[in-house]
């Protein structure tokens, strides 16, 4: 009897095992795709949407792990992606135009996949009580800026459009944290930068940019350019387009959350850099949304997309003014293939 029971139990056990092996098994959880991303600059208010997307799990929901590092300038972010040091970056699309125009057709240069800054922020700040009132007045003067600053890199193009003899302007490099003080002290006659970067960095060191500085804005002299965009390596765009689609969906959600709650975005920045001045960074965020991201085309195209005709003209401006070797086609530089549908993108900044 004992042997019969044992045989019966053995048969039941082996049958259950066979049945279990025939049933579908739950898929093993896939490890997230890890991407290295370089920002345009030190931690500041206008990066809040990236950090909200991270903190609220939007990247994880897309199967991504995003490692974000501080940047050294919008132009430098493009170079960091081009070198392979980073998979993605938040950098100046005009620096990308320059890179592609200097490369052979078909080269594996990075690709812009979302143009977040749709109005030109490039400027030269001078002292409000000084002698420089027009671009021509820059001749015979010394203008300084960080080596990787987007406005500095575009100065040859600006000089040509604004009628400046660039050979008569001395350019000097400086550390970013010294820019506003050196201008205020008269150590340089002007400084390159983004309008909001200079204005709010000045506030942080006790300078009133509205009364102490005058701004010569590139956009006022025919440089109707796009600016900072999400830049991806060509390899990543080719081999893992779904990762980039997920990335942009997550960033779009972070931007929507930022628009609903500016303070939450600033708290996300402060989580990375507790020493920020939250009030000033909130002002910087609001000013960036209002000036650098508020082109009228947003209502029709949504944040991230470009106007093809306008972008083609901007490429021509940069290539001609800088005397670059060739005129790249827009699709060598930008692709909208990774953007969320228009219905899901931000079309109103409030």
């Amino acid at each position: 009897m004992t042997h019969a029971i044992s045989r019966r139990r053995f048969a039941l056990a082996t049958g259950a095992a066979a049945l279990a092996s025939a049933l579908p098994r739950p898929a093993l959880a896939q490890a997230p795709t890890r991407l290295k991303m370089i920002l345009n600059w030190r931690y500041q208010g206008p990066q809040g949407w990236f950090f909200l997307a991270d903190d609220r799990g939007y990247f994880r929901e897309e199967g991504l792990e995003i490692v974000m590092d501080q940047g050294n300038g919008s132009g430098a972010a493009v170079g960091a992606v081009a070198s392979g040091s980073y998979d993605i970056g938040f950098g100046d699309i005009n620096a990308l135009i320059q890179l592609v125009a200097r490369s052979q057709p078909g080269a594996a240069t990075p690709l812009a996949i979302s143009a977040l800054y749709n109005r030109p922020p490039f400027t030269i700040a001078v002292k409000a009580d000084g002698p420089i009132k027009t671009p021509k007045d820059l001749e015979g003067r010394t203008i300084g800026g960080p080596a990787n600053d987007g406005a500095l890199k575009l100065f040859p193009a600006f000089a040509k459009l604004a009628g400046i003899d660039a050979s008569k302007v001395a350019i000097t490099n400086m550390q970013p944290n010294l820019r506003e003080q050196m201008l205020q002290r008269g150590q340089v006659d002007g400084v390159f930068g983004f309008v909001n970067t200079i204005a709010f960095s000045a506030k942080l060191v006790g300078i009133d940019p509205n009364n102490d500085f005058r701004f010569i804005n590139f956009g006022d002299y025919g440089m109707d350019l796009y600016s900072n965009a999400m830049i991806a390596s060509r390899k990543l765009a080719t081999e893992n387009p779904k990762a980039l689609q997920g990335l942009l969906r997550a960033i779009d959600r972070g931007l929507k959350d930022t628009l609903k709650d500016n303070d939450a975005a600033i708290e996300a920045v402060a989580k990375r850099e507790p020493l920020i001045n939250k009030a000033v960074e909130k002002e910087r965020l609001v000013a960036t949304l209002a000036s650098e991201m508020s082109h009228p085309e947003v209502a029709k195209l949504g944040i991230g997309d470009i106007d093809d005709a306008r972008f083609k003209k901007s490429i021509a401006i940069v290539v001609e003014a800088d005397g670059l070797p060739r005129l790249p086609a827009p699709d060598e530089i930008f692709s909208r293939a990774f953007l969320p549908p228009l219905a899901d993108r931000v079309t109103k900044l409030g």
Side-chain angles (χ1 to χ4, degrees):
M1 184 69 177
T2 303
H3 295 297
I5 292 174
S6 298
R7 284 194 297 271
R8 226 175 10 251
R9 286 177 176 170
F10 177 77
L12 289 170
T14 54
L19 178 61
S21 66
L23 292 173
R25 297 182 181 182
L28 294 175
Q30 289 187 334
T33 299
R34 189 175 189 269
L35 300 177
K36 288 184 64 179
M37 173 177 166
I38 185 167
L39 297 168
N40 56 317
W41 202 242
R42 308 294 188 263
Y43 294 143
Q44 293 181 336
Q47 298 159 344
W49 49 77
F50 297 126
F51 302 139
L52 280 182
D54 191 22
D55 292 348
R56 296 183 175 181
Y58 300 156
F59 292 131
R60 288 192 299 276
E61 290 176 21
E62 298 290 350
L64 302 173
E65 177 189 353
I66 307 298
V67 180
M68 285 181 273
D69 289 342
Q70 297 186 73
N72 295 303
S74 297
V78 174
V81 176
S83 70
S85 300
Y86 288 87
D87 304 296
I88 46 178
F90 186 45
D92 181 22
I93 201 169
N94 301 291
L96 180 58
I97 292 171
Q98 293 168 329
L99 175 65
V100 175
R102 293 187 176 105
S103 303
Q104 293 297 318
T109 48
L111 188 66
I113 59 172
S114 177
L116 296 176
Y117 287 8
N118 45 53
R119 297 178 72 180
F122 312 106
T123 195
I124 297 171
V126 299
K127 294 186 73 172
D129 59 359
I132 303 174
K133 295 180 172 60
T134 69
K136 193 70 175 173
D137 296 332
L138 294 169
E139 295 180 1
R141 311 288 178 176
T142 299
I143 314 299
N148 291 308
D149 183 81
L152 188 156
K153 288 180 175 294
L154 285 170
F155 179 67
F158 172 67
K160 186 168 184 178
L161 289 171
I164 305 167
D165 184 347
S167 68
K168 295 180 180 179
V169 180
I171 306 296
T172 186
N173 294 137
M174 60 181 61
Q175 291 299 315
N177 61 325
L178 300 177
R179 173 169 41 196
E180 293 75 27
Q181 297 98 310
M182 288 183 69
L183 174 59
Q184 182 73 346
R185 294 169 187 161
Q187 293 172 281
V188 290
D189 300 302
V191 291
F192 295 103
F194 281 19
V195 173
N196 287 325
T197 299
I198 293 174
F200 291 100
S201 295
K203 284 189 175 187
L204 289 172
V205 294
I207 299 171
D208 182 353
N210 296 320
N211 291 320
D212 295 340
F213 292 165
R214 177 184 298 119
F215 293 92
I216 299 175
N217 297 322
F218 289 17
D220 294 336
Y221 296 88
M223 294 195 74
D224 183 24
L225 308 177
Y226 290 89
S227 177
N228 279 10
M230 295 306 302
I231 310 290
S233 76
R234 185 76 59 162
K235 183 175 185 291
L236 179 62
T238 301
E239 297 180 358
N240 199 347
K242 288 185 178 180
L244 294 183
Q245 291 166 352
L247 173 81
L248 296 188
R249 281 194 297 267
I251 292 173
D252 189 71
R253 292 174 70 185
L255 177 57
K256 289 174 181 176
D257 288 358
T258 296
L259 295 173
K260 291 176 184 176
D261 189 348
N262 293 165
D263 291 319
I266 298 305
E267 288 300 328
V269 180
K271 182 177 175 181
R272 277 83 182 168
E273 180 48 84
L275 297 180
I276 65 167
N277 183 316
K278 293 181 183 179
V280 170
E281 293 307 324
K282 182 177 179 179
E283 282 188 76
R284 193 197 305 266
L285 168 61
V286 172
T288 297
L289 293 167
S291 61
E292 295 174 28
M293 300 174 68
S294 63
H295 194 283
E297 70 188 27
V298 170
K300 180 178 69 173
L301 301 176
I303 290 289
D305 205 351
I306 60 170
D307 178 273
D308 291 329
R310 181 183 168 214
F311 187 53
K312 189 173 182 179
K313 288 180 182 177
S314 72
I315 295 171
I317 288 172
V318 174
V319 169
E320 181 182 356
D322 282 351
L324 297 173
R326 68 184 187 90
L327 181 68
D331 62 6
E332 292 183 74
I333 300 161
F334 177 84
S335 172
R336 59 174 57 88
F338 309 94
L339 289 170
L342 177 58
D344 296 335
R345 298 201 296 271
V346 172
T347 56
K348 185 177 181 181
L349 293 169

